[in-house]
Amino acid sequence: MSERKMEAAAVATAPIGGGMRREPSYASMAEQDDFDLSRLLDKPKLNIERQRSFDDRSMSEFSIGGNLKVGMDGYDPVYSPGIRSGFDTPLSSVRNSFDPHPIVAEAWEALRRSVVYFKGQPVGTIAAYDHASEEVLNYDQVFVRDFVPSALAFLMNGEYDIVKFFLLKTLLLQGWEKKIDRFKLGEGVMPASFKVLHDPNRDVDTIAADFGESAIGRVAPVDSGFWWIILLRAYTKSTGDTSLADTAECQKGIRLILSLCLSEGFDTFPTLLCADGCCMIDRRMGVYGYPIEIQALFFMALKSALSMLKHDAQGKELIERIVTRLQALSYHMRSYFWLDFQQLNDIYRFKTEEYSHTAVNKFNVIPDSIPDWVFDFMPCKGGYFIGNVSPARMDFRWFALGNCVAILSSLATPEQSVAIMDLIEERWEELIGDMPLKICYPAIENHEWRIVTGCDPKNTRWSYHNGGSWPVLIWLLTAASIKVGRPQIARRAVDLAESRLLKDGFPEYYDGKLGRYVGKQARKFQTWSIAGYLVAKMLLEDPSHLGMISLEEDRAMKPLLKRCSSWT
């Protein structure tokens, strides 16, 4: 590496720290709540002896026996102020172990510009840093799901404090009273996003959080709580420090999130019933019901929680419910959501109107409802988890996030994981094209588009959530391919991304059947596009990072699997 490149890379990957620290003259209402958690920030890290983790154990070893939101008028949004927080963290050795691509330094610099500060401490990254855009909308906020790749990049670079402050800040927001009109949301709901506001006259920072009351369609984010649990585990695995997860506040936060999902009701399935727009696809796109993205994240959050919950009176009862739910959920997903060539042929031959517990067509799916495209799309070798399964309805679309998370969480068996990667290779043109990665495939259009999306002008065919290509998904593809032992898939995808991302200004998404065009409404310097690329690069250079976001299959679940013959 040239001396100039080495210097640029060193500057770009230097930890957030140094410089002046801003202190407010007095605390706002939101800040006063921080005092309850301030003691958590100063706890010394523990030296944890590396022992056999929960991920390597079988679940059979466990026995079964007033809304404080502040108005935004008169405040300035606080992000990238050029003021450093003053904390110092160790750097990973990754940046010194390889010759980085020229855009790596640019990506790190762009990521650091997006950092948001609260009382001088970094608490997240804004969604996009696009000064060319006339409408800011909510892209100047810190989204829980959007921050995950940023957090992973910082963790892999040895910068832990920003992730810790984010986890604590969102945990504090969870405790706020949440109302939409006159209806109160569940206590465990995590915010979709929050915004730091600075009053320059009083020099005070405050936070305004959005729990869905400002979102398109007014839908609460189901995925935020799951991502929070997954990120808490990633922080714990990366630092080797269990003291944060062990605090009473974090233990309560986990319990509140999962209590929302494990409550008993009218459900006859172990999957979660959700509204449209409750996850990354946050607009009307026909994913209501039991979307694969939510089910895979739910499964991963349950397994992550098992490794962190204490075995006290409250924890033990929840652990028992988690173990029972995981076994039922894994069987349901592997049996009814999985599609390969043989299963497609079986569904094609289904009989209908079966009124018995011995019914083969348990959901009474009408074979004529199978779309024509899936017969051509399904290769002889390969398979995937379809988008949705509910009474008389199967959504055969491919969704990238759900399938990648299924691999990382081991919701997919090793054989199914290989089959998903086989499908990606067999259908590279359709799913990857010129820019990784299709959020879903295929796009819906014409009359179906009008009915399903309500004529949404943003989700036209092959654009945005309707078959658009999202660079952020490259980190999930990379992690999944490394876990399956197929890193060449990730390298090929990363090479494609590197040829365009910097030149195009790290856009939010790409349009077109092959993903050739920068999205018509895509923001430039989209933070998770930047962070997703960096995480993918660091995973390829040091695959040991995979441990913080990968969970192994539990032995207790293996006997429950039947069917999946596409790879034999």
Side-chain angles (χ1 to χ4, degrees), residues 143 145 216-217 276-284 464-465:
F143 281 81
R145 76 175 67 93
I216 295 173
D276 234 337
C278 66
C279 51
M280 179 180 175
I281 298 179
D282 59 0
R283 301 168 75 92
R284 183 174 160 189
Y464 202 52
H465 296 144

Side-chain angles (χ1 to χ4, degrees), residues 255-407:
R255 290 196 303 270
L256 287 175
I257 292 168
L258 296 185
S259 293
L260 289 173
C261 312
L262 297 175
S263 58
E264 296 176 350
F266 292 100
D267 298 304
T268 55
F269 314 129
T271 41
L272 284 180
L273 181 62
C274 303
D276 234 337
C278 66
C279 51
M280 179 180 175
I281 298 179
D282 59 0
R283 301 168 75 92
R284 183 174 160 189
M285 267 293 293
V287 299
Y288 62 88
Y290 304 91
I292 178 61
E293 176 177 336
I294 291 297
Q295 313 314 320
L297 287 172
F298 180 35
F299 185 87
M300 190 168 189
L302 288 173
K303 290 189 71 174
S304 297
L306 272 182
S307 66
M308 297 184 291
L309 282 170
K310 290 182 178 180
H311 287 250
D312 53 21
Q314 291 176 304
K316 249 183 174 179
E317 187 270 337
L318 186 59
I319 286 171
E320 292 176 358
R321 293 165 63 192
I322 290 173
V323 171
T324 301
R325 188 62 164 263
L326 278 172
Q327 292 174 338
L329 184 60
S330 63
Y331 176 80
H332 183 90
M333 297 298 295
R334 294 170 181 178
S335 298
Y336 305 123
F337 275 67
W338 180 254
L339 188 72
D340 54 25
F341 183 85
Q342 183 60 52
Q343 178 66 357
L344 179 60
N345 205 161
D346 291 345
I347 297 172
Y348 176 69
R349 291 167 51 83
F350 268 172
K351 295 178 181 179
T352 59
E353 309 298 327
E354 295 178 291
Y355 291 95
S356 169
H357 66 277
T358 60
V360 175
N361 184 2
K362 295 182 184 297
F363 296 93
N364 196 36
V365 175
I366 311 301
D368 287 346
S369 69
I370 304 174
D372 292 338
W373 65 264
V374 76
F375 293 103
D376 296 326
F377 178 72
M378 179 60 70
C380 294
K381 181 184 178 184
Y384 65 102
F385 289 98
I386 63 175
N388 219 311
V389 176
S390 58
R393 176 183 176 235
M394 297 182 82
D395 182 351
F396 289 91
R397 285 177 293 175
W398 147 274
F399 289 87
L401 194 151
N403 276 273
C404 288
V405 171
I407 292 175

Side-chain angles (χ1 to χ4, degrees), residues 296 299-300 303 404-412 483 551-552:
F299 185 87
M300 190 168 189
K303 290 189 71 174
C404 288
V405 171
I407 292 175
L408 293 174
S409 65
S410 291
L411 172 59
K483 182 173 182 179
L551 295 157
E552 296 309 311

Side-chain angles (χ1 to χ4, degrees), residues 364-534:
N364 196 36
V365 175
I366 311 301
D368 287 346
S369 69
I370 304 174
D372 292 338
W373 65 264
V374 76
F375 293 103
D376 296 326
F377 178 72
M378 179 60 70
C380 294
K381 181 184 178 184
Y384 65 102
F385 289 98
I386 63 175
N388 219 311
V389 176
S390 58
R393 176 183 176 235
M394 297 182 82
D395 182 351
F396 289 91
R397 285 177 293 175
W398 147 274
F399 289 87
L401 194 151
N403 276 273
C404 288
V405 171
I407 292 175
L408 293 174
S409 65
S410 291
L411 172 59
T413 65
E415 295 81 7
Q416 288 172 331
S417 298
V418 169
I420 292 171
M421 286 298 152
D422 287 340
L423 177 81
I424 291 173
E425 286 197 309
E426 290 286 329
R427 297 291 177 258
W428 185 270
E429 195 81 350
E430 291 87 348
L431 302 180
I432 306 295
D434 289 346
M435 174 58 66
L437 177 65
K438 285 292 178 200
I439 188 172
C440 70
Y441 181 90
I444 53 178
E445 48 190 323
N446 302 324
H447 180 67
E448 185 183 14
W449 167 78
R450 288 190 286 272
I451 297 299
V452 172
T453 73
C455 301
D456 187 350
K458 196 167 184 177
N459 273 331
T460 54
R461 64 175 185 171
W462 306 115
S463 180
Y464 202 52
H465 296 144
N466 188 13
S469 299
W470 291 68
V472 61
L473 296 173
I474 197 170
W475 81 264
L476 285 161
L477 174 66
T478 300
S481 64
I482 290 173
K483 182 173 182 179
V484 177
R486 308 269 277 275
Q488 69 276 10
I489 294 177
R491 289 195 186 97
R492 186 179 171 192
V494 168
D495 287 346
L496 271 176
E498 285 179 334
S499 67
R500 293 282 305 273
L501 280 179
L502 181 60
K503 180 176 66 176
D504 295 336
F506 293 101
E508 180 182 11
Y509 63 95
Y510 287 77
D511 284 353
K513 206 166 187 178
L514 297 177
R516 294 175 60 191
Y517 304 96
V518 174
K520 58 186 175 183
Q521 295 187 41
R523 293 299 194 278
K524 296 293 185 74
F525 292 97
Q526 185 79 14
T527 304
W528 68 356
S529 295
I530 297 164
Y533 164 73
L534 288 172

